[in-house]
Amino acid sequence: VAELSRSAVQQLIAENHVTVDGRPVAKNTRLKTGNIVHCTVPPPIETQISAQHIPLDVYYEDADLLVVNKPKGMVVHPAPGNYDGTLVNALLWHCKDSLSGVGGELRPGIVHRIDKDTSGLLVVAKNDFAHAGLAKQLADHSMTRVYQAVVYGGLKEDTGMVDASIGRSERDRKKMAVTQKHAKTAVTTYRVVARYHGFTHIELRLKTGRTHQIRVHMASIGH
């Protein structure tokens, strides 16, 4: 099913939409010669999110995707505490019916995201084919995400890497932290752009995309 991402296919398997010889199976099932695999792709869930006329700073747009500059303070998609005024609400108005459904009901068209207080460019898929292709490029790192940040203090080295797993903080479950308990691998590389008194301007690239990864990794090394 070439138009679907790996994670989308895994979700279909988990929801019993994929059968082997007529029976639902686990995603790690090993196939044998002669097995018949049947996959049913259900239609996207109709979104209940309202379209809102919120101005967007669009850098690029064609029939398949658009690149939008998300301002600081805007949430990417609806979540508890932020059910409107999000980028998705604005995209539904801007794109009308042209947004992919791969992300599910709450994230139409959203291929990747950045934090509420982070500004920057986001690529948005207008159809499922574009969404799968963009997701694959992110997964195999043929498309890269570059971040700019100003951190406290002076970094000793001009380049470096932080390889430390991230999970929920045991002290505060609302926060993420470097931990080994129920954590996921996280790798961040950085290089110094400029140095100032008490601060350092750095460029960062993420090999993984964990929640608050840059903030957590920089804090873990004292910056």
Side-chain angles (χ1 to χ4, degrees):
V1 190
E3 70 274 14
L4 294 180
S5 67
R6 181 188 179 95
S7 60
V9 172
Q10 289 178 332
Q11 185 67 27
L12 288 178
I13 295 172
E15 295 174 354
N16 295 330
H17 292 298
V18 178
T19 61
V20 175
D21 294 338
R23 296 187 300 274
V25 293
K27 63 184 179 182
N28 61 349
T29 298
R30 290 181 175 274
L31 295 177
K32 299 178 181 178
T33 302
N35 283 154
I36 297 176
V37 181
H38 188 266
C39 177
T40 302
V41 181
I45 300 172
E46 186 69 26
T47 180
Q48 299 300 312
I49 306 169
S50 60
Q52 293 179 302
H53 190 192
I54 302 170
L56 288 175
D57 184 9
V58 178
Y59 268 50
Y60 174 83
E61 184 171 8
D62 60 24
D64 296 298
L65 58 87
L66 70 151
V67 178
V68 60
N69 185 29
K70 187 196 81 68
K72 176 182 177 180
M74 175 181 271
V75 176
V76 172
H77 57 80
N82 294 283
Y83 288 109
D84 58 15
T86 71
L87 180 64
V88 165
N89 294 109
L91 287 169
L92 287 171
W93 179 281
H94 179 84
C95 298
K96 309 305 181 190
D97 295 329
S98 298
L99 281 176
S100 76
V102 174
E105 181 181 353
L106 290 178
R107 289 187 285 178
I110 300 299
V111 180
H112 63 118
R113 50 187 181 151
I114 52 180
D115 296 343
K116 175 182 177 180
D117 291 327
T118 302
S119 61
L121 300 179
L122 286 174
V123 61
V124 178
K126 287 187 171 183
N127 53 63
D128 290 355
F129 180 79
H131 198 134
L134 292 166
K136 182 178 184 300
Q137 289 176 49
L138 284 172
D140 62 23
H141 301 293
S142 59
M143 174 167 65
T144 58
R145 289 167 285 184
V146 182
Y147 298 82
Q148 303 285 324
V150 176
V151 298
Y152 288 100
L155 289 157
K156 294 180 180 179
E157 306 294 336
D158 287 336
T159 61
M161 180 177 73
V162 181
D163 184 349
S165 298
I166 293 176
R168 292 284 174 185
S169 170
E170 293 183 41
R171 295 181 179 179
D172 185 347
R173 300 297 295 172
K174 293 181 180 179
K175 293 183 178 181
M176 307 302 288
V178 168
T179 179
Q180 295 300 317
K181 192 173 183 180
H182 305 300
K184 294 182 178 180
T185 301
V187 180
T188 304
T189 62
Y190 63 85
R191 73 173 183 86
V192 172
V193 176
R195 296 180 182 275
Y196 304 100
H197 180 67
F199 301 93
T200 307
H201 175 191
I202 57 176
E203 179 184 281
L204 307 103
R205 293 173 186 261
L206 277 57
K207 294 187 177 181
T208 53
R210 309 304 177 203
T211 302
H212 300 164
Q213 180 171 321
I214 291 174
R215 291 184 179 90
V216 171
H217 270 176
M218 290 299 103
S220 74
I221 62 172
H223 297 283

